[in-house]
Amino acid sequence: MVDLSKSGSKVESDRVGRVSLPPADYVLELLKLDADALKLIEPPSKRHQYRAVINWVTNYKCPPEVNEKLEVVKGYLEAFYHLCEVEDWERAKQILNIKVPPVDEYLDSQLRSWDYYEECIHIYRRLLGKLDQYWESICLNGLGIAYYFLGEYHKAIEYHQQSLQIAREIGDRSGEGSALGNLGIAYYFLGEYDKAIEYYQQSLQIAREIGDRSGEGSALGNLGNVYYLLGEYDKAIEYYQQLLQIAREIGNRSGEGSALGSLGNVYYLLGEYDKAMEYYQQSLQIAREIGDRSGEGNALGSLGNAYCSLGEYGKAIEYHQQHLQIAREIGNRSGEGIALGNLGNAYYSLGKYHKAIEYYQQDLQIAREIGTRSGEGHALGDWGESLLKLEKYTESLEYSQAALEILKQIGERHYQAKVLKNIAETHQHLGNLDAARQYCDEAIAIFTELGVPELKECQELREEIHKSSRVC
């Protein structure tokens, strides 16, 4: 692929949020298009298509009043579609090979970074079945990535499996590692963590064997994500630190921001809020610098959680609203659900339980629509906890038990312990003290193993249950 940031050519000044375009003459050279040679092309309809390609690449400039990244690269996208009209697939694929400085990502990767997943789907579908097996694998993998960001995880798996098969058939080790890693991500979102780890480990092994530092960093970060959800925080920190080191060594700003945010999440759960916020602020700064809207939303939501834990609920709601707005603008359904759930948590902390439930209802609906088992378990558990505060104990138990079943299935231990504690408290109010004691002991065992701040609160509940038993 062509890296224009190292070409020595002057970069044209056409910017929206730090996005620059490479010079038109270089792109035309890449496409091997000469305006004078167009006269020889027949029929005229075909010649008009090629002239349109040159016009879009040469003359299009994003209007200065438009603050939309898709408009910045509109000239390339229009050129791509005109090339497709004349079935010039070789030149069409070269459009995707352009690296856009200063972010230094290929055009299709850049579109994904900007969360234009539907546009990516249109592009990859146009190229499917039109090029060699190597490019077929790339397009299938790209479709899989787009669909799992849109929450269609089973469809993503289908495309990644096809990509993996082709990569192995043609001996493309890099493509094989990429497909394995992306399969791991899809299974991660579906809550099948053992299967995700298996794919991530295979991806990591291939990346190290072929010296792919970027792929190695991605695999390490993905492994950290799984162990974070499984409550193995020391192991998660170890993987995230390795990712951070590699990202900085190779200048991967996106990976650096991701690693910083992930480290912040671990320290947040460990109750080290100041340390967590330092990481979140660094992650937010990087996301904004490179135009990563999804990363920006994640960092804003994480800062909102930290402020909520520090009792600054107004500030927390402000950050979560910003996260929600971004998620909806870019069509990130998973991020939208997370933001809604976090807003529910903030209103729960303010004692506005009915309003909290409204947000949890929306969160639950999205989680079920896109098939995120973890999101579904969280929404049910949060809803159950709000019902507990409203003294609707029977309903609370119903929601909490449903949440517990899901969380046990996917092995998410930290939130599982929180739900166990809520069930214990519900049974205490219902006078089922033996059941309350049993659930509380289970929660204490997990909190103790994880070494998280909730342990103290759960031990206090255990003492209350013990006192109630003595009174009886």
Coordinates of all heavy atoms in Angstrom, one line a residue, residues 303-304 307-308 312-320 322:
L303 N -14.9 9.3 32.1 CA -14.8 10.4 33.0 C -16.1 10.6 33.7 O -16.1 11.0 34.9 CB -14.4 11.7 32.2 CG -12.9 11.7 31.8 CD1 -12.7 12.8 30.7 CD2 -12.1 12.0 33.0
G304 N -17.2 10.4 33.1 CA -18.5 10.6 33.7 C -18.7 9.6 34.9 O -19.2 9.9 36.0
Y307 N -16.5 10.8 37.8 CA -17.1 11.9 38.6 C -18.3 11.4 39.4 O -18.6 11.9 40.5 CB -17.6 13.0 37.6 CG -16.4 13.9 37.2 CD1 -16.0 14.0 35.8 CD2 -15.8 14.7 38.1 CE1 -15.0 14.8 35.4 CE2 -14.7 15.5 37.7 CZ -14.3 15.5 36.4 OH -13.3 16.3 36.0
C308 N -19.1 10.4 38.8 CA -20.2 9.9 39.6 C -19.7 9.2 40.9 O -20.3 9.4 41.9 CB -20.9 8.8 38.7 SG -22.5 8.3 39.3
E312 N -19.8 13.8 42.1 CA -20.1 15.0 41.3 C -21.1 14.6 40.2 O -20.7 14.5 39.0 CB -18.8 15.6 40.8 CG -17.8 16.0 41.8 CD -16.6 16.7 41.3 OE1 -16.8 17.6 40.4 OE2 -15.5 16.4 41.7
Y313 N -22.3 14.5 40.6 CA -23.3 13.8 39.7 C -23.7 14.7 38.5 O -23.9 14.3 37.4 CB -24.6 13.5 40.5 CG -24.2 12.5 41.6 CD1 -24.6 12.9 42.9 CD2 -23.6 11.4 41.4 CE1 -24.3 12.1 44.0 CE2 -23.2 10.5 42.5 CZ -23.6 10.9 43.8 OH -23.3 10.1 44.9
G314 N -23.8 16.1 38.7 CA -24.1 17.0 37.7 C -23.0 16.9 36.6 O -23.4 16.9 35.4
K315 N -21.8 16.9 37.0 CA -20.7 16.8 36.0 C -20.7 15.5 35.3 O -20.4 15.4 34.1 CB -19.3 17.0 36.7 CG -18.2 17.2 35.7 CD -16.9 17.7 36.5 CE -17.0 19.1 36.9 NZ -15.7 19.6 37.5
A316 N -21.0 14.4 36.0 CA -21.1 13.1 35.5 C -22.2 13.0 34.4 O -21.9 12.5 33.3 CB -21.5 12.0 36.6
I317 N -23.4 13.6 34.7 CA -24.5 13.6 33.7 C -24.1 14.3 32.4 O -24.3 13.9 31.3 CB -25.7 14.2 34.3 CG1 -26.3 13.2 35.3 CG2 -26.8 14.5 33.2 CD1 -27.4 13.8 36.2
E318 N -23.3 15.5 32.6 CA -22.9 16.3 31.5 C -22.0 15.4 30.5 O -22.1 15.4 29.3 CB -22.1 17.5 32.0 CG -21.6 18.4 30.9 CD -20.7 19.5 31.5 OE1 -21.0 19.9 32.7 OE2 -19.8 20.0 30.9
Y319 N -21.0 14.7 31.1 CA -20.1 13.9 30.3 C -20.9 12.7 29.6 O -20.6 12.4 28.5 CB -19.0 13.3 31.2 CG -17.9 14.3 31.4 CD1 -17.7 15.0 32.6 CD2 -16.9 14.5 30.4 CE1 -16.7 15.9 32.8 CE2 -15.9 15.4 30.6 CZ -15.7 16.1 31.8 OH -14.7 16.9 31.9
H320 N -21.8 12.1 30.4 CA -22.6 11.0 29.8 C -23.5 11.5 28.6 O -23.7 10.7 27.6 CB -23.4 10.3 30.8 CG -22.6 9.5 31.8 ND1 -21.5 8.8 31.5 CD2 -22.7 9.4 33.2 CE1 -20.9 8.2 32.5 NE2 -21.7 8.6 33.6
Q322 N -22.8 13.9 26.6 CA -21.9 14.1 25.5 C -21.5 12.8 24.8 O -21.5 12.7 23.6 CB -20.6 14.8 26.0 CG -20.7 16.2 26.4 CD -19.4 16.8 26.8 OE1 -18.4 16.9 26.1 NE2 -19.3 17.2 28.1

